[in-house]
Amino acid sequence: MARTEPALADLVAAARAGDRRATARLLTVVENNTAAAPELSRLVKGGDAQIVGITGSPGVGKSTLVSALIAAWREQGLRVGVLAVDPSSPFTGGAILGDRVRMADHALDPGVYIRSIATRGHLGGLTATTTAGVRLLEGLGFDTVIVETVGVGQAEVEIASLADTTLLLLAPGMGDGIQAVKAGVVEIADVYVVNKADRPGADGTVRDLKAMMSLVRREPGEWRQPVCTTVASERKGIDDLVAAIGKHRDWLSEGDRLALKRRQRAAAEIRARVDADLRRRYRVTDALAEAVANGETDVASAARSVLGDTG
């Protein structure tokens, strides 16, 4: 460990100075939860990055919008990190879509770091290590960290517990306006974005969203989600979207809202780590599963035996 610590410290220093290879190596430590991960956590602490989550159905233009947002924040002189979650290849386990080509304009910018990460079978639109990755980038001095989820359905809402501000992208012509009334993902959004707004039906999608929101009762001072329209491929509407994200950040900063959200995120991360450790510690054997399947014992008794509960 004496030899490992200086190496990690050197990587951290290089990553904070903008070395993307060093950042990549540190994220690999986090993603694979290697033996160096605890020491890395001690070396990289703090940070006050704005965490922006971007979610929506496949094909609504999430990656293109991310690219446009990166450009806008870079014009403000902000350092931007992106964790883009892709489905896993069934053969290699790696990220399968490779749609980071839509962010190729930023490939040589030292103020931008983009990482594709595979879900590895994890549900919810994220990965099991996304939160740790966000915490690392925040500690390395990034001003804004964008988390782009894998294309999600109605129940994949983990992003809300991770991001400070969650954007939900919809597109006209995909039925999203009607789905918005019932989809669980809509309930988590802080800002609605109707992308590809130059297409027919965009106005109808906006109307559907506003009609839906008019049915929701809000107490005085509660956040009311704005509806932004964008054509991300042409960077239209991006300035208004950046302003809406900033207003939500300002609203969170009033009172204890942002601190509460960060505490909730930390608690969720702790619970996830405890769950993972418990699953590793208390393994269900094939013999025990077979005993339950054959009716030799019941599920509750089997669970108690796994936990070592003899009472």
Side-chain angles (χ1 to χ4, degrees), residues 73-203:
W73 278 316
R74 288 297 292 145
E75 288 173 1
Q76 298 177 12
L78 302 180
R79 193 174 174 214
V80 183
V82 180
L83 297 178
V85 183
D86 279 340
S88 297
S89 164
F91 304 105
T92 66
I96 194 172
L97 291 183
D99 59 359
R100 301 293 77 74
V101 293
R102 297 184 178 91
M103 304 179 199
D105 291 345
H106 311 288
L108 300 178
D109 186 343
V112 178
Y113 179 80
I114 300 169
R115 174 88 158 197
S116 288
I117 50 179
T119 59
R120 301 184 184 183
H122 187 81
L123 301 178
L126 300 179
T127 76
T129 58
T130 306
T131 304
V134 167
R135 190 181 298 280
L136 174 66
L137 293 180
E138 189 175 25
L140 291 175
F142 285 88
D143 301 297
T144 300
V145 178
I146 302 173
V147 180
E148 178 194 336
T149 74
V150 69
V152 297
Q154 294 181 9
E156 293 154 314
V157 295
E158 275 190 18
I159 188 64
S161 64
L162 170 59
D164 299 330
T165 301
T166 301
L167 313 185
L168 174 63
L169 267 66
L170 304 103
M174 298 183 68
D176 284 347
I178 295 173
Q179 289 298 317
V181 177
K182 66 176 183 176
V185 288
V186 169
E187 299 172 6
I188 68 170
D190 300 304
V191 179
Y192 300 116
V193 183
V194 179
N195 192 33
K196 305 182 181 181
D198 54 341
R199 293 185 176 183
D203 291 341

Side-chain angles (χ1 to χ4, degrees), residues 8-43:
L8 274 181
D10 291 344
L11 283 175
V12 169
R16 284 178 171 150
D19 186 327
R20 283 181 287 184
R21 283 189 178 183
T23 303
R25 290 180 64 182
L26 294 176
L27 276 169
T28 298
V29 170
V30 168
E31 289 175 9
N32 294 334
N33 194 25
T34 68
E39 179 61 25
L40 179 57
S41 297
R42 287 189 286 270
L43 287 171

